[in-house]
Amino acid sequence: MARAPVVVYPPSEGGGRRVRVNGEILGTAYSPGDLLEFLRRAGLDPDDVQLDGPLIEWRGGGPEVW
């Protein structure tokens, strides 16, 4: 099974979740909106991204955990 090109790491103690796309850390997202902005900057169309879809590997909780 291929790995998801987007990895969202567990929430940090200070808040937010690191986001990696295709092996590159893009920054820390503090909300689903932040995550979608990172994906847009990485060349993905946010309108085509399902937060609970196979494109994103969630670690330490899914899209409802921030």
Side-chain angles (χ1 to χ4, degrees):
M1 181 174 166
R3 299 193 79 180
V6 178
V7 178
V8 180
Y9 289 90
S12 69
E13 288 185 21
R17 301 178 75 155
R18 281 188 321 151
V19 177
R20 185 178 77 199
V21 177
N22 294 322
E24 180 181 347
I25 297 291
L26 299 185
T28 302
Y30 293 90
S31 69
D34 289 346
L35 173 58
L36 291 173
E37 177 60 18
F38 281 133
L39 299 181
R40 184 192 68 75
R41 292 179 188 179
L44 299 168
D45 184 345
D47 292 332
D48 293 337
V49 174
Q50 293 179 316
L51 295 181
D52 59 353
L55 177 72
I56 301 174
E57 177 185 336
W58 293 91
R59 297 183 181 174
E64 69 285 342
V65 178
W66 293 91

